[in-house]
Amino acid sequence: LASLLRELDATLPAGVPLAHLAIDAANPLRMLAGTRGYDATDPLHTESIYLSTDGGASWTGTLGSASYYMGVTDISFGAGGKVYAAVDDALYRSDDGGASWSGPLLGPPYNNSIMAVRADPATPNTVFIGGYKGLARSTDGGVSSTPLTTGLIVTAGMPASVNRIVMH
């Protein structure tokens, strides 16, 4: 994997800090690369998610900021061409396989606390969201969500922080 990441890193624009890679199981040539974030102005590199449709031979920036990299902590391909990404602690959604993005999505209590996403591979618009406020599920593409924190309470009524979601 480390060798693959180095190889892919060489095809991204120079200086882009690769942090996350997602490969579409339905089309392995479609890949999304997320940056690790950058907190200073960088006018040369303002994209946070890059899309490749040729297995990493070339990349196109598809989600950017006005002046800096937004940190990407997770990307998940789902059913029906949907893709979800945790970017700067917020949820973003693509309805076209990562070519364009909507967001940030979700209001309180999950905005500004999202670290992990896992799309349901069989059910369009269903995504699990993890973050500082526990685990939640959205069945409307990330517009709203239902907490799934029963049994995840750690101390003083606060849910456990969820920073990775794995589905079997």
Side-chain angles (χ1 to χ4, degrees), residues 1-14 16 18 21 31 33 52 54-59:
L1 181 61
S3 174
L4 172 64
L5 289 177
R6 278 193 301 277
E7 191 176 313
L8 293 176
D9 192 41
T11 64
L12 285 165
V16 171
L18 179 64
L21 177 69
M31 308 165 89
S52 175
D54 56 13
S58 63
W59 298 90

Side-chain angles (χ1 to χ4, degrees), residues 109-145:
Y110 290 99
N111 58 333
N112 298 321
S113 71
I114 295 170
M115 297 183 296
V117 295
R118 192 61 53 220
D120 186 314
T123 310
N125 294 319
T126 298
V127 60
F128 293 86
I129 303 133
Y132 304 117
K133 298 186 177 147
L135 182 67
R137 176 180 52 228
S138 172
T139 58
D140 59 9
V143 176
S144 64
S145 64

Side-chain angles (χ1 to χ4, degrees), residues 56-144:
S58 63
W59 298 90
T60 302
T62 63
L63 176 65
S65 169
S67 61
Y68 69 98
Y69 295 110
M70 298 183 293
V72 178
T73 55
D74 209 357
I75 302 171
S76 181
F77 285 91
K82 302 267 195 245
V83 185
Y84 298 89
V87 182
D88 265 3
D89 296 329
L91 180 66
Y92 286 76
R93 182 186 75 229
S94 172
D95 295 329
D96 55 13
S100 63
W101 294 87
S102 301
L105 303 170
L106 287 180
Y110 290 99
N111 58 333
N112 298 321
S113 71
I114 295 170
M115 297 183 296
V117 295
R118 192 61 53 220
D120 186 314
T123 310
N125 294 319
T126 298
V127 60
F128 293 86
I129 303 133
Y132 304 117
K133 298 186 177 147
L135 182 67
R137 176 180 52 228
S138 172
T139 58
D140 59 9
V143 176
S144 64

Side-chain angles (χ1 to χ4, degrees), residues 139-154:
T139 58
D140 59 9
V143 176
S144 64
S145 64
T146 302
L148 302 173
T149 56
T150 301
L152 293 176
I153 304 302
V154 179

